[in-house]
Amino acid sequence: MFYWIMKNLIAGPIVLTIFRPWIRGLENVPRTGGAILASNHLSFIDSVILPLVLSRRVSFLAKSDYFTGKGIKGALVRGFFLATGQLPIDRSGGKASEASLNTGLGVLGRGDLLGIYPEGTRSPDAKMYRGRTGVARMVLEAGVPVIPVAMIDTHKVMAIGTKVPKIRRVGVIIGEPLDFSRFEGLESDRFILRSVTDEIMYELQRLSGQEYADVYATSVKEKRASVAR
C-alpha cells in the first residue's frame, strides 16, 4: 500500500511532471510472470524513474548501507528506498553474495519484476563498463527472460556527487526480451556466465549508444580515488 501511495499519489506525479520521461518499447515488458530488468546505471535517479514509467511493480537490489542510517535523515532515506521497492543486500561477498542471490530469486519466484544493474555501480563518466556475472547466474537459476533497459540522460539530471537534480527530460528504452534457456543447468560454468553477461551488456550498449569500456566500473572508481588522495 505504501508503495502504491508513493508511486501514484505523492512522489510519482511530482517526478513525472518535473522530468517528463519519454519511453520506447513498453510493450516488451511482460504483463505477468517473473523477469529481470537489466539496466545501465548512470544516476541515482535510475531506480526512481524506471518504476514510475511501468505499470508493474519493480524491486531493485540496493546496498544495505541505505537502510541502516541513523536519525531523521536515516529514517527518511530508508523510507524512500522502501517506498520505491528497493531491497537491502550486502555486497561484501561470500555468504553475503549468496544471500543477495537468494533475495533476487525470491522476487522472481513470486512472479515479480526484478531490477538489476549488471555493472554493479553507477558509471563514473557516462561510459558503459563490464558487467558482473552475478546477473547471469540469477538468470539461469531462475529461468526467466531478461529485459534490457537503457536509461537515457539521467546522468545529466543527477551526476555522481550532486545532491540537487537538474530539471531536464530523460528517456527509457526497453529492448526485446533475451532468452537464455539454451544454457539451462550451466549456472556453475564461469565461461557460460561470462558469455551471458557479455550478451546482456552488448544489448544494453546497443540500446543506449554509450561508449563501452571493458573494465569494471569499480576499478575505475578505486583508481581515481587513489589518485585524488
Side-chain angles (χ1 to χ4, degrees):
M1 178 61 72
F2 185 44
Y3 176 90
W4 186 92
I5 291 174
M6 289 294 291
K7 176 178 178 177
N8 295 285
L9 300 181
I10 302 178
I14 295 173
V15 173
L16 293 178
T17 299
I18 292 175
F19 300 114
R20 299 176 296 119
W22 54 266
I23 182 169
R24 294 207 305 259
L26 192 59
E27 68 279 2
N28 290 322
V29 178
R31 295 184 179 181
T32 60
I36 289 176
L37 299 177
S39 173
N40 61 336
H41 199 11
L42 296 171
S43 170
F44 171 81
I45 69 167
D46 293 335
S47 301
V48 178
I49 297 295
L50 182 56
L52 291 179
V53 300
L54 300 179
S55 58
R56 294 184 62 186
R57 177 169 180 160
V58 183
S59 296
F60 281 90
L61 301 181
K63 61 182 180 180
S64 57
D65 297 8
Y66 290 133
F67 299 83
T68 57
K70 304 296 183 180
I72 296 178
K73 180 180 179 181
L76 290 174
V77 171
R78 183 165 54 254
F80 170 80
F81 275 85
L82 291 173
T84 52
Q86 303 195 49
L87 304 171
I89 61 168
D90 187 337
R91 297 179 178 176
S92 58
K95 292 183 178 180
S97 296
E98 193 70 24
S100 300
L101 173 69
N102 291 334
T103 299
L105 291 176
V107 172
L108 297 169
R110 295 195 300 269
D112 294 335
L113 297 178
L114 179 68
I116 294 180
Y117 299 115
E119 292 167 279
T121 186
R122 285 173 289 172
S123 171
D125 51 17
K127 293 180 182 179
M128 178 170 290
Y129 287 90
R130 199 174 197 220
R132 300 280 182 174
T133 58
V135 62
R137 184 180 172 193
M138 193 172 296
V139 169
L140 298 185
E141 289 209 14
V144 297
V146 179
I147 316 299
V149 178
M151 306 301 295
I152 307 297
D153 290 339
T154 51
H155 64 294
K156 296 179 181 178
V157 169
M158 197 169 187
I160 291 179
T162 60
K163 296 183 178 180
V164 180
K166 298 179 180 178
I167 298 178
R168 62 170 295 150
R169 201 169 190 197
V170 298
V172 182
I173 301 176
I174 302 175
E176 296 182 359
L178 302 175
D179 179 12
F180 295 104
S181 59
R182 63 189 184 277
F183 297 126
E184 181 180 358
L186 297 175
E187 58 270 10
S188 298
D189 188 318
R190 62 189 182 93
F191 296 105
I192 294 296
L193 295 180
R194 173 47 57 191
S195 176
V196 169
T197 303
D198 288 346
E199 186 173 336
I200 293 171
M201 299 311 297
Y202 173 83
E203 187 62 15
L204 289 179
Q205 193 276 331
R206 188 186 70 81
L207 292 173
S208 68
Q210 292 170 261
E211 180 182 346
Y212 181 75
D214 194 25
V215 294
Y216 292 120
T218 50
S219 299
V220 175
K221 288 183 176 181
E222 290 169 358
K223 184 177 181 180
R224 292 183 179 185
S226 63
V227 171
R229 293 194 188 101

